[in-house]
Amino acid sequence: MDILKNPHRGAGLDCPELDDMPWPSIDAEKPTALVARCPRAGATPLVESADLARQAGIGALLIKDERDRMGLGSFKALGAAYVIACDAEAGRARGQSYVTASAGNHGLSVAAGAAAFGARAIIYLAETVPEAFADRLRREGAEVVRAGATYEASMEAAQQAAEDNGWQLLSDSSWAGYTARPHRLMEGYLVLMQEVIGAMDAPTHIFLQAGVGGLAVACAALARAAWGDAPQIVVVEPEAAPALIASIRAGRPVETQGPVSAMGRLDCKTPSLIALKGLARDADWFMTISEAEGEAGNAACAAAGLETTPSGAAGLSGLLAASSAFGLDATSRALVILSEGPEG
């Protein structure tokens, strides 16, 4: 486990790579209104677990349960499908081909959005992504292409395919020259945090799992807008993919190296630049968890009747692994997000 107090909190990173990056959106009204028109729409539950709170040594634990979001089993349903819905509202979705790489549920969101609005979805998967997930994508109507040994390699292949074929690239990450669609995609994630804010008072601590960082930055930005400095915000990554903590420590975006993580949805070695910019301003702490710590959190969720995956439980895993850090005690009231169901 590695823990870093954010030296850039409040000001953000001063580096040229982020100068042209937009700040994350805090306009939750537009995505909330648009998502509400979806036949599968509905707020996900915010549940309290006394057992898990006791294990963490805190007074209360609130869990935003995204396992059945819009029937897709993940918060990602709010992202790419929202972008495609915006395109449809502008008359640009029908007949369009959307291509992306996915380490997990982002691909399902692209597939579902494309199917809903008369578009085509082409999803590139790395060799490490299980074939069972590829089958889930196909059942949602997507075309699946295998490319590369890592998520980053499959993303390069998706980018090339977009350029070669005139397809729309719809990534959940952002980089120099590619910001508009991921910025809107992250805006979709505000819906879940808006639901949380409407259902509870400010927690003392928020633990947010991160891959490229889209979910974490959206939740952190809206939490700051609603609750100011009241919560301590902690970003949790796998030790195998420490892209955000390494970038914060270096003071600039860095590409990291590491083995394949069982927290596969979070196994991203390069940060989204929009996410890095926002989290450098809004997060108080960054931490990594080991594979064993990730599995321990997942097992704790299962024992509490909240079956998920090591990726889905990673925020809770961070809380359990670092229960003596961040000023946590019996008066603390923490929030975590259970980001996906057990199928991943």
Side-chain angles (χ1 to χ4, degrees), residues 2 30 47 71 136 173 181 206 219 224 259 261 336-337 340:
D2 183 17
K30 180 180 178 180
V47 299
R136 288 183 67 196
S173 190
R181 286 185 177 277
I206 305 174
C219 291
R224 290 290 177 225
S261 173
V336 301
I337 297 170
E340 65 179 16

Side-chain angles (χ1 to χ4, degrees), residues 314-326:
L316 176 69
S317 298
L319 168 62
L320 294 176
S323 57
S324 60
F326 313 125

Side-chain angles (χ1 to χ4, degrees), residues 77-258:
L78 296 169
Y82 167 65
V83 177
I84 297 173
C86 289
D87 283 356
E89 199 172 42
R92 295 193 300 264
R94 184 164 295 277
Q96 186 64 263
S97 293
Y98 294 93
V99 61
T100 193
S102 180
N105 295 299
H106 169 63
L108 282 173
S109 189
V110 175
F117 296 106
R120 176 188 179 200
I122 307 98
I123 314 298
Y124 278 67
L125 299 181
E127 297 164 4
T128 52
V129 177
E131 185 61 20
F133 181 74
D135 287 339
R136 288 183 67 196
L137 289 169
R138 294 184 186 105
R139 288 196 296 272
E140 290 288 340
E143 301 167 37
V144 175
V145 180
R146 291 281 185 178
T150 65
Y151 168 79
E152 287 74 20
S154 63
M155 179 55 73
E156 288 178 12
Q159 286 179 257
Q160 190 62 53
E163 293 175 14
D164 292 345
N165 297 288
W167 297 339
Q168 289 293 323
L169 182 67
L170 183 44
S171 173
D172 57 354
S173 190
S174 58
W175 51 84
Y178 185 74
T179 60
R181 286 185 177 277
H183 188 266
R184 176 159 285 177
L185 183 146
M186 294 175 209
E187 185 176 73
Y189 298 157
L190 296 174
V191 172
L192 76 89
M193 197 63 198
Q194 182 84 328
E195 292 171 0
V196 170
I197 291 164
M200 67 179 291
D201 295 329
T204 61
H205 297 77
I206 305 174
F207 286 77
L208 299 169
Q209 57 266 57
V212 296
L215 171 66
V217 77
C219 291
L222 198 59
R224 290 290 177 225
W227 293 324
D229 292 333
Q232 291 278 303
I233 296 178
V234 184
V235 177
V236 183
E237 298 177 280
E239 283 182 353
L244 289 162
I245 193 172
S247 297
I248 292 295
R249 185 169 275 134
R252 58 178 179 79
V254 299
E255 182 175 352
T256 59
Q257 303 294 324

